[in-house]
Amino acid sequence: MPPDTALESLLRRDRAIVAASLVALTVVAWTYTLWLAAAMNIDGMSMSAPGMEADMKMDPAMDMDGMEMGSRGALSLGTVLGISPRPWSSVEAGVTLTMWIVMMVGMMLPSATPMILLYARVGRQSRIAGKPFAATGFFAGGYLLAWAGFALVATLGQWLMEGTLLTPALASASRIFSGVVLVIAGLYQWTPLKDACLSQCQTPIVFLQRHGGFRRDPAGAVGLGLRHGVYCIGCCWALMTLLFVGGIMNVLWIAAIAIFVLAEKVIPTGRVLSRVAGSLLAAFGLWQLISASI
């Protein structure tokens, strides 16, 4: 086969290769998440994954089941402000950060696939025209870098809340905490910032037009992917905080949030879906707060 024909054949398949790579990366991320969830002890009292210490301390205000805080299942504001997190080893911190990064890859990469495939398509046309873009991996890497930053913040949040606002099973230990998180997440679904960020994620072409199109240099491609990831975080951060309510390693809860995030971005009526979900979340949060006060 002549060299030019072989090149054209490869270029025709590049999007298939990119798509297969995204699927493979997502499958690996979910496989790791499922393995890590299965590695938790049956009683939910510790993590048994390699490198994770099994000495998570019980808060004195927590009852024998470790599921409710105090006699009314809540923490006072003073307790929250006065928390003293258990020191983590470097290995434990690294395992937790890895867990969050991999989980974000599994949850968010499917919703970024349309933009990444668009990059691959336009990049193919540019290569044919003799003006190649940076490889698709640079753009995808920038996107995932943004979520790695979010994972770092989430890891810090888990460390601060461990043993006080979180049970050893990594779910909410306080109805007040659950209610506050649910109400905040629900109200955020109605904000103009949510709408602005969601519109950037729903319409890749509009995003490109507003930010100068794809970049030919690797640094520019990473920067553009990073910017797209930041918009995505602006769209989804409140939904991700729900992991602290339903359980950080609750696989069904993780999958439900991931499916909803994908639906928001690919369904034309995503804004309506966001606001309906926001109303339900806020209502459930208020119910949690009322229940905690009874």
Side-chain angles (χ1 to χ4, degrees):
M1 182 178 293
D4 57 339
T5 305
L7 177 60
E8 290 175 0
S9 177
L10 177 62
L11 291 176
R12 284 195 297 269
R13 297 176 183 175
D14 64 343
R15 280 200 300 164
I17 295 173
V18 171
S21 300
L22 294 176
V23 170
L25 189 56
T26 302
V27 169
V28 169
W30 275 101
T31 300
Y32 178 82
T33 301
L34 290 170
W35 171 80
L36 196 58
M40 294 185 68
N41 289 344
I42 295 176
D43 61 2
M45 297 301 292
S46 64
M47 297 290 293
S48 59
M52 185 69 76
E53 298 176 2
D55 61 344
M56 300 178 79
K57 304 286 192 299
M58 294 290 291
D59 186 87
M62 192 177 294
D63 65 16
M64 294 301 294
D65 293 328
M67 297 304 294
E68 295 289 341
M69 302 297 296
S71 60
R72 294 164 63 177
L75 288 172
S76 68
L77 179 61
T79 303
V80 174
L81 295 177
I83 59 176
S84 180
R86 174 180 64 87
W88 278 0
S89 68
S90 59
V91 172
E92 189 173 3
V95 169
T96 304
L97 177 60
T98 300
M99 175 194 75
W100 274 101
I101 291 175
V102 173
M103 191 160 58
M104 292 302 100
V105 170
M107 295 178 71
M108 301 309 305
L109 198 55
S111 66
T113 296
M115 174 66 85
I116 296 172
L117 291 180
L118 177 62
Y119 184 101
R121 176 184 176 184
V122 177
R124 178 182 64 182
Q125 296 171 344
S126 298
R127 285 194 297 273
I128 293 175
K131 299 178 180 179
F133 286 159
T136 306
F138 287 107
F139 177 81
Y143 178 84
L144 295 179
L145 181 62
W147 279 104
F150 177 85
L152 180 61
V153 174
T155 299
L156 177 61
Q158 180 179 333
W159 173 65
L160 291 173
M161 292 184 285
E162 179 190 284
T164 52
L165 294 174
L166 296 180
T167 70
L170 303 182
S172 173
S174 165
R175 284 188 174 183
I176 288 183
F177 173 66
S178 297
V180 169
V181 172
L182 287 164
V183 169
I184 291 175
L187 293 179
Y188 184 74
Q189 296 294 96
W190 285 83
T191 62
L193 180 58
K194 167 73 178 190
D195 289 344
C197 292
L198 180 59
S199 66
Q200 296 285 330
C201 297
Q202 285 180 322
T203 54
I205 297 297
V206 173
F207 171 81
L208 293 175
Q209 290 174 343
R210 291 179 179 177
H211 298 92
F214 289 127
R215 307 294 193 270
R216 303 189 186 282
D217 60 300
V222 171
L224 187 64
L226 180 65
R227 181 174 297 180
H228 184 56
V230 170
Y231 275 114
C232 194
I233 292 172
C235 175
C236 305
W237 70 268
L239 295 173
M240 293 302 166
T241 63
L242 298 178
L243 290 168
F244 291 108
V245 176
I248 295 171
M249 293 310 299
N250 183 333
V251 175
L252 293 179
W253 189 238
I254 295 171
I257 295 174
I259 291 171
F260 180 81
V261 167
L262 179 62
E264 271 191 324
K265 295 181 179 181
V266 301
I267 295 177
T269 56
R271 282 188 176 87
V272 175
L273 181 64
S274 297
R275 289 172 180 174
V276 170
S279 298
L280 294 175
L281 289 172
F284 186 55
L286 288 174
W287 178 78
Q288 288 283 331
L289 292 173
I290 294 171
S291 299
S293 64
I294 296 177

